[in-house]
Amino acid sequence: MKFTINREALLKPLQLVAGVVERRQTLPVLSNVLMVVDGDQLSLTGTDLEVELVGRVTLDEVSEGGEITVPARKLMDICKSLPENALIEFSQDEQRVKLKAGRSRFTLSTLPANEFPSIEEEAGSMTFTIGQTRLRRLIDRTGFAMAQQDVRYYLNGMLIEVSQNTLRSVATDGHRLAMCTVDADINQQDRHQVIVPRKGILEMARLLTEGDEMVHISIGANHIRAKTGDFMFTSKLVDGKFPDYDRVVPRGGDKIIIGDRQELRQAFQRASILSNEKYRGIRLILSDGMLKVMANNPEQEEAEEEINLAYHGETMEIGFNVSYLLDVLSVISGESVKITLSDTNSSALLEESDTSDSTYVVMPMRL
């Protein structure tokens, strides 16, 4: 294996692929990246057995094809430390890989390519195409609500639901729920649901650009695969049953608040400074045309904010985890936000006050 490549051409795919590679591995080969030169194409593959990412680069100059695995972190650190636009010469010398760039020389240890695990292509996958911006929106709007290391393992990921002409993402950690729905060119009569693990979602988001380019998605029994220009991403699916999110979304709330999103967000942020660091609880007191936000902590410190907003109804007091409210106000756009409540023990429904593709549910707290 022998080829020459520009530093910048190698660095971008290498950084994305190395992101998948775990630092602490049970199998030594999993901390390596698989490099394959075939014709004028170099492919780089990283995996942790759950998620796999393949990046492809066209080479200017190839002397000899081949395949080998090299330590991902070390290779990336070397590339980062080289000067811009440096030309890197790779050559394989038995069990070592040699890198030359200007006056720099590096020798890296390798492991055989046949030890590198690969995720098999599944037959009978469902496939569709969607714009990268739309898929990115689904992840950005709901990803924050995924659980982290919950014993209910099916919550440590995102539900992707495919149905006729729509694609929906839902995430919940049991205390709050986020849902976003976008139009997509999908011909699928029945509702099809899969759960993509948290790491898979985060890695897929890193791949997506803001452009109008399309991403090709295929969903099999055990894997989801996304192909964009030069990258192919594959993730295992979580084997479990996601909660019925329709039952969680509150219906028929009669207390409707419409307020300025930024004003609410800033008031909540200020109040949160003096909330209990462990429970993060704030108290909302609603009265005609007015919202009072109160927070206190075990040191007997207190914060109080008053906001004018559109609300006409009876006085009501309800508690929430302020972090959950701030998360929602941070991801939605639009000038104003609509909050629908029914009573002190029921969840709040948050939406953009104009027509929106996103819905958020936050459970109340007893304070």
Side-chain angles (χ1 to χ4, degrees), residues 42-105:
L42 165 67
S43 71
L44 302 162
T45 308
T47 183
D48 66 352
L49 297 180
E50 292 287 316
V51 173
E52 177 188 271
L53 183 58
V54 185
R56 289 190 174 77
V57 195
T58 304
L59 297 168
D60 303 329
E61 196 182 313
V62 185
S63 309
E64 209 178 302
E67 52 179 26
I68 198 71
T69 79
V70 293
R73 295 276 158 201
K74 289 175 187 165
L75 180 58
M76 189 172 74
D77 290 345
I78 288 168
C79 288
K80 275 185 178 172
S81 65
L82 288 171
E84 280 187 26
N85 290 314
L87 269 181
I88 307 171
E89 291 178 34
F90 274 81
S91 58
Q92 187 180 339
D93 178 16
E94 292 179 2
Q95 298 308 305
R96 298 263 179 269
V97 159
K98 293 188 171 170
L99 279 75
K100 266 169 46 177
R103 295 183 169 185
S104 309
R105 303 279 184 280

Side-chain angles (χ1 to χ4, degrees), residues 126-128 162-166 185-193:
M126 181 178 73
T127 58
F128 59 90
V162 184
S163 50
Q164 188 70 30
N165 294 328
T166 56
D185 185 13
I186 299 170
N187 186 16
Q188 167 75 16
Q189 297 300 325
D190 309 321
R191 260 194 346 176
H192 185 71
Q193 296 184 333

